Amino acid sequence: MRTASEITAMFTGPQVHRDVYTSPEIYRLEMKHLFANTWVFVGHESQTPNKGDYFTTQIGDQPVIQVRHSDGEIYVLFNRCPHKGTKIAIDREGNTGKFFRCPYHAWSFKTNGCLLAIPLKKGYEDTGFSESESAKGMTPVGAVRNYRGFVFARLAPEGIGFEDYFGDSLSSIDNMVDRSPEGRLEIAGPPLRYMHKCNWKMLVENQTDTCHPMVAHESSAGTAVNIWEEMGNPEPRPPAMEIIAPFMSPYEFFEKMGIRTWPNGHGHTGVHHSIHSDYSAIPGYFDALSEAYGEERAKSILDENRHNTVYFPNIMIKGPIQQLRNFIPLGPDKTLVESYIYRLVGAPDQLLARTAMYNRMINAPTSIVGHDDLEMYERAQEGLMSNGMEWVNVQRLRTEAEDFSQETVENGTTERQMRNQFDAWVKFMTVSMEGA
């Protein structure tokens, strides 16, 4: 078993060891330490709007249930019966009524996890059962926080607090929610699910990799742009062209776009502008937002065009188009990607139509763009098995004096955010290891 010092040595600053992407042992340590000690996205409150509504997912490799209790609060419970370990819920979502009932021996639990009833309960009398762990019912995760509708959880009972972990990075969630004239979002259908045969960190890194779009997406976005040019660049552009054409922007566009990084591995591209900046206005939207917030405030909300915001360890949100992507690790070389979209409550439906179009065009298994990235991830996963070189380079625009405890804004093509993620990776991998 690798020690804390050996884990720390896997990130040198300019380089990261290939084992972080390929080693089954490192993957198991990530599940045990990294995903236990960090705040991980679970779901949105609108996925469980009514009492008894539940939603099943996982944090790292731990199956959990997000459920709305009878008092209206959202709980996150380990999806395991305290009797024999049977999964309590296997459906993606549903309504369990006032209690969960294990399908194996009919132990039942309130929707906050407390034990409600056991068949033949007198058989446990004078056995010390009331003092056992099982008598407490389904185990809750270590901590839960609902931030403006987004539910996060930390598996470990003790650890860094929610505000200390996310800090000012929560401004990206704030901006996405503030875009609703009523200040709230609603989930818009189930996510698009897409399996990737690669390590989960490759997808997270790609969210702020601004040196690949004009290269990897030339066969898709580049072809679309060429066809449009052959047609004489007719105006106005349809929404599909507004979405795909910016992927072919030159390096200078992305350099000037800027990248902001926050402590604990969070960061976003699109500080000054982004590929979403020049979308056509939707009739009636600015008026609705101005009526809710005032014209000046409405303008400041819409002037933020952050591209991709990474919330370490494994989600990305896009405020201007109300999207969240969840990169769920299933193995050292297997990742399930879920791409959610949200409705801005009180905003014109045309905004949701554009968001759904973006998700289909860029992130769906049938996407004309997503396959470009998938091809690169899978080639990298295979290439890293080569013994020709042990290390992966993340050195672009690095300085010796980098301090990841401070918020910074830099050139939009820097790989600082990748280094920021690995700095956080070392921190939360080793914080609960012996000898750390």
Side-chain angles (χ1 to χ4, degrees):
M1 184 66 72
R2 305 199 193 206
T3 64
S5 60
E6 289 173 328
I7 293 295
T8 301
M10 300 183 80
F11 172 54
T12 66
Q15 298 184 109
V16 60
H17 196 272
R18 66 171 179 173
D19 281 1
V20 306
Y21 303 99
T22 61
S23 166
E25 181 191 5
I26 294 296
Y27 174 78
R28 287 193 294 273
L29 289 172
E30 287 177 337
M31 297 303 105
K32 181 179 180 180
H33 296 285
L34 181 68
F35 280 86
N37 294 320
T38 51
W39 285 86
V40 179
F41 173 73
V42 180
H44 192 265
E45 65 176 8
S46 62
Q47 292 174 267
T48 52
N50 304 307
K51 296 173 182 177
D53 283 351
Y54 71 87
F55 160 73
T56 62
T57 182
Q58 61 190 75
I59 299 175
D61 61 354
Q62 297 298 299
V64 297
I65 305 174
Q66 173 184 308
V67 58
R68 179 86 64 171
H69 186 46
S70 56
D71 63 2
E73 292 297 312
I74 290 176
Y75 286 75
V76 180
L77 310 169
F78 286 94
N79 190 1
R80 177 201 191 279
C81 180
H83 183 205
K84 299 296 185 185
T86 311
K87 265 189 170 180
I88 296 294
I90 57 172
D91 293 332
R92 286 281 186 182
E93 59 187 14
N95 186 290
T96 192
K98 294 183 178 179
F99 61 91
F100 288 111
R101 179 177 181 272
C102 180
Y104 198 0
H105 297 96
W107 286 32
S108 57
F109 312 91
K110 297 178 182 178
T111 46
N112 63 357
C114 292
L115 183 62
L116 181 63
I118 301 176
L120 299 173
K121 189 175 182 180
K122 60 183 179 182
Y124 292 93
E125 292 178 357
D126 302 323
T127 65
F129 174 76
S130 61
E131 306 302 320
S132 71
E133 191 177 35
S134 298
K136 297 177 182 176
M138 297 172 65
T139 306
V141 298
V144 178
R145 177 67 184 273
N146 180 347
Y147 185 80
R148 304 199 69 177
F150 292 88
V151 179
F152 291 85
R154 189 191 65 222
L155 293 178
E158 304 294 333
I160 189 169
F162 182 84
E163 280 76 13
D164 288 341
Y165 182 69
F166 285 113
D168 290 339
S169 72
L170 292 170
S171 57
S172 285
I173 290 180
D174 289 338
N175 180 258
M176 183 156 73
V177 179
D178 288 344
R179 287 169 177 265
S180 158
E182 296 185 19
R184 59 191 177 94
L185 306 180
E186 287 179 347
I187 195 82
L192 296 174
R193 293 191 172 91
Y194 193 179
M195 195 67 76
H196 288 58
K197 294 179 181 177
C198 66
N199 187 270
W200 63 276
K201 293 184 291 297
M202 291 182 182
L203 289 114
V204 181
E205 289 169 32
N206 187 60
Q207 305 311 303
T208 57
D209 181 339
T210 55
C211 288
H212 84 278
M214 68 298 289
V215 180
H217 301 305
E218 185 176 8
S219 62
S220 54
T223 299
V225 168
N226 290 338
I227 291 173
W228 197 251
E229 289 176 350
E230 289 172 5
M231 294 171 64
N233 288 312
E235 295 289 346
R237 290 186 173 192
M241 278 306 296
E242 287 190 343
I243 288 172
I244 201 167
F247 280 78
M248 291 307 296
S249 300
Y251 290 115
E252 291 75 15
F253 174 90
F254 291 101
E255 286 183 313
K256 294 176 181 176
M257 190 165 79
I259 284 182
R260 176 180 284 116
T261 64
W262 294 285
N264 297 324
H266 317 302
H268 79 93
T269 51
V271 178
H272 309 296
H273 62 268
S274 77
I275 65 171
H276 308 302
S277 295
D278 296 325
Y279 291 169
S280 298
I282 300 296
Y285 177 44
F286 184 73
D287 292 340
L289 210 58
S290 295
E291 186 174 345
Y293 298 113
E295 190 171 322
E296 185 176 348
R297 172 70 177 138
K299 188 173 184 306
S300 69
I301 292 170
L302 298 182
D303 280 348
E304 283 282 353
N305 278 290
R306 300 182 183 189
H307 181 193
N308 293 338
T309 296
V310 168
Y311 285 112
F312 186 79
N314 67 323
I315 66 166
M316 178 277 285
I317 72 164
K318 279 180 177 289
I321 58 168
Q322 302 85 55
Q323 181 190 62
L324 183 149
R325 302 186 76 201
N326 192 6
F327 309 110
I328 301 175
L330 299 180
D333 57 357
K334 191 175 183 182
T335 305
L336 175 65
V337 183
E338 294 184 334
S339 297
Y340 290 92
I341 58 173
Y342 302 92
R343 178 194 308 276
L344 294 170
V345 179
D349 288 343
Q350 283 174 269
L351 278 165
L352 179 60
R354 182 163 62 194
T355 294
M357 176 182 285
Y358 186 98
N359 212 23
R360 291 193 305 273
M361 287 183 65
I362 310 301
N363 300 318
T366 52
S367 159
I368 60 172
V369 174
H371 288 287
D372 298 334
D373 293 318
L374 176 62
E375 174 78 10
M376 297 305 113
Y377 303 145
E378 293 187 350
R379 285 193 187 196
Q381 194 71 40
E382 293 176 8
L384 287 173
M385 300 308 294
S386 161
N387 293 326
M389 196 174 289
E390 292 284 322
W391 296 86
V392 174
N393 189 285
V394 288
Q395 202 164 0
R396 181 170 172 75
L397 295 175
R398 177 179 179 269
T399 62
E400 286 296 328
E402 280 188 324
D403 179 0
F404 299 110
S405 69
Q406 301 297 317
E407 176 182 330
T408 64
V409 173
E410 297 189 3
N411 181 305
T413 59
T414 180
E415 290 177 333
R416 177 186 167 97
Q417 171 57 16
M418 299 175 198
R419 299 188 290 273
N420 187 35
Q421 289 164 196
F422 278 110
D423 179 75
W425 184 85
V426 170
K427 176 180 179 180
F428 293 103
M429 280 282 279
T430 60
V431 68
S432 54
M433 286 183 173
E434 290 185 12

